[in-house]
Structure formats: structure tokens, C-alpha cells
Amino acid sequence: MNTIYDTIVWLQSQATSHQFPIVQFSGDTDMVTAGWVSLTSIDKPEIVVTQTTAAEHHAIAQGHDGYLQVESRINAALGRTDLRCAWLARVEQSSPMIQGTTFQEFRKSYQPPRLLFRDILGHESLASEASRTTRSEFERGGGKVLVLE
């Protein structure tokens, strides 16, 4: 059975070149994934998946403070200090849109945008996708996903 948190994306820190995992949420509609966040341990291959509170969700819509509130709440609840949120920080377009080209020409030259996330391993740094895997492969490789509902 598939869940909304079955895809693990490995991000690579621009500051340290080390990689860390996050969850890529997916569902039939945005409503299915709204309010879900993942936090990653800076010490081990572990991810905590949870839902935001109404206040956190509202704060996330306003900026990054909501993610920091989630970090604080979940770390306190679990008696930890190592869990961090890697939010989407910036999107860089990889290929310009050229008017007048056919769809086939567009498909040949299209490069998806580059997604840059908060780097949980480097202060004031960003991280980008290095690879992706399934949750089951991640867990078989020694990773752990904890779901707090």
C-alpha cells in the first residue's frame, strides 16, 4: 500500500558535500499532503514525518518561522535536539522558455528546474537533490522513518 511519504530524496549539502534524506510527499491532490512535514536527523539516517498544527501551518504560509516551530515542538516531544526541517528555499529555472518552438523541440531541450532546499548541515547554505529512493529501500539500507500522527 502506498502512502504519501513513500519517496525519499537524498539532498547534498553545498557546504559540506554530505547527503541527508528528506521525504517527498505525494498524493492525488494538494489537500492530501497539506500540513505534512518531515524532519531529518543531523546525526543519523532518520526521518520523522508529522503534521503541522494549525498555528504552525499558518506560520509556514507566512515564512520559515513555522518550520522552526515544528522543529522545536517535535524535538521537545521526543527529547531530542537533532531534528531539522529542510524546506524549499529557491527554485532555479534550468532552461529558458523559447517561444515559437514545437512541443517536440521543447521536450528535447527541456531541463526541469533545480530545487534548492535549506541545508540542515551547513549554516546559510543550500542543498540540492543528489538521488532518490523508495522508503522501503531507505529502510533496508539502515534508514528509519518514524511517523507521528
Side-chain angles (χ1 to χ4, degrees), residues 91-95 109-115:
V91 177
E92 293 179 349
Q93 285 295 85
S94 298
S95 57
S109 65
Y110 175 75
Q111 295 291 319
R114 184 170 179 227
L115 306 179

Side-chain angles (χ1 to χ4, degrees), residues 59-104:
I60 287 169
Q62 304 303 314
H64 302 128
D65 286 346
Y67 290 109
L68 300 175
Q69 291 171 18
V70 174
E71 284 181 10
S72 179
R73 176 176 60 88
I74 297 301
N75 276 304
L78 297 176
R80 297 172 67 164
T81 59
D82 63 316
L83 298 170
R84 304 284 184 273
C85 289
W87 59 76
L88 181 63
R90 187 168 70 222
V91 177
E92 293 179 349
Q93 285 295 85
S94 298
S95 57
M97 299 299 222
I98 301 171
Q99 292 182 347
T101 61
T102 66
F103 182 67
Q104 291 77 14

Side-chain angles (χ1 to χ4, degrees), residues 9-23 38-48 67-68 71 75 81-89 116-128:
V9 176
W10 284 91
L11 299 179
Q12 184 165 1
S13 165
Q14 290 180 349
T16 67
S17 295
H18 290 102
Q19 294 184 10
F20 59 92
I22 64 169
V23 168
S38 71
L39 297 91
T40 302
S41 172
I42 58 172
D43 298 329
K44 52 191 166 191
E46 186 174 286
I47 301 170
V48 175
Y67 290 109
L68 300 175
E71 284 181 10
N75 276 304
T81 59
D82 63 316
L83 298 170
R84 304 284 184 273
C85 289
W87 59 76
L88 181 63
L116 297 167
F117 295 84
R118 173 196 186 201
D119 184 349
I120 65 170
L121 304 176
H123 185 67
E124 299 296 320
S125 180
L126 298 173
S128 58

Side-chain angles (χ1 to χ4, degrees), residues 24-41:
Q24 177 182 348
F25 296 99
S26 62
D28 292 341
T29 66
D30 290 348
M31 292 186 336
V32 174
T33 60
W36 284 92
V37 294
S38 71
L39 297 91
T40 302
S41 172

Side-chain angles (χ1 to χ4, degrees), residues 4 32 34-37 49-53 56 70 73-74 148-149:
I4 63 169
V32 174
W36 284 92
V37 294
V49 173
T50 192
Q51 287 186 298
T52 59
T53 65
E56 290 164 349
V70 174
R73 176 176 60 88
I74 297 301
L148 298 178
E149 293 191 44

